[in-house]
Amino acid sequence: MRAIFFDEDDAHAVVARLRADGFAARLERERLAGEDDDEDHPWAVVSDAPGFMLEVLVDTHDGWLDEEQPAAAPAPVELPVEPRRIKRG
């Protein structure tokens, strides 16, 4: 799960709290589509902590949860080996 914050101090506080509680947590810069200024990108905290714990921290530090997992690549399409014959003749 990922928690998104616009304030860097809040993001660092959440990472410190999660690590103190024994969870893995890392901080990343979240790139939003259409944002040109690197200073305006929010901070993403990626963690293996339970969702309810991240919800409490997000509420406390004015962030939001990004629960959407990236979609898996679709299975490859089975293509015919030779051309299909429509008319017999």
Side-chain angles (χ1 to χ4, degrees):
M1 283 190 122
R2 296 170 352 130
I4 310 296
F5 302 93
F6 278 104
D7 185 32
E8 181 180 5
D9 293 336
D10 287 338
H12 282 288
V14 169
V15 168
R17 173 63 190 268
L18 291 170
R19 287 180 179 165
D21 290 340
F23 298 104
R26 71 179 189 275
L27 191 60
E28 301 175 347
R29 247 0 238 276
E30 183 68 17
R31 305 272 183 219
L32 296 178
E35 286 290 332
D36 294 332
D37 187 8
D38 283 342
E39 296 302 316
D40 288 338
H41 293 298
W43 295 89
V45 175
V46 181
S47 178
D48 63 348
F52 69 88
M53 186 169 197
L54 283 174
E55 282 183 41
V56 170
L57 292 170
V58 162
D59 288 341
T60 305
H61 294 281
D62 291 328
W64 74 91
L65 279 181
D66 182 18
E67 298 180 42
E68 187 175 308
Q69 298 295 325
V77 177
E78 180 116 4
L79 298 174
V81 178
E82 51 189 57
R84 207 195 276 180
R85 307 267 186 222
I86 297 176
K87 294 184 179 182
R88 299 180 195 243

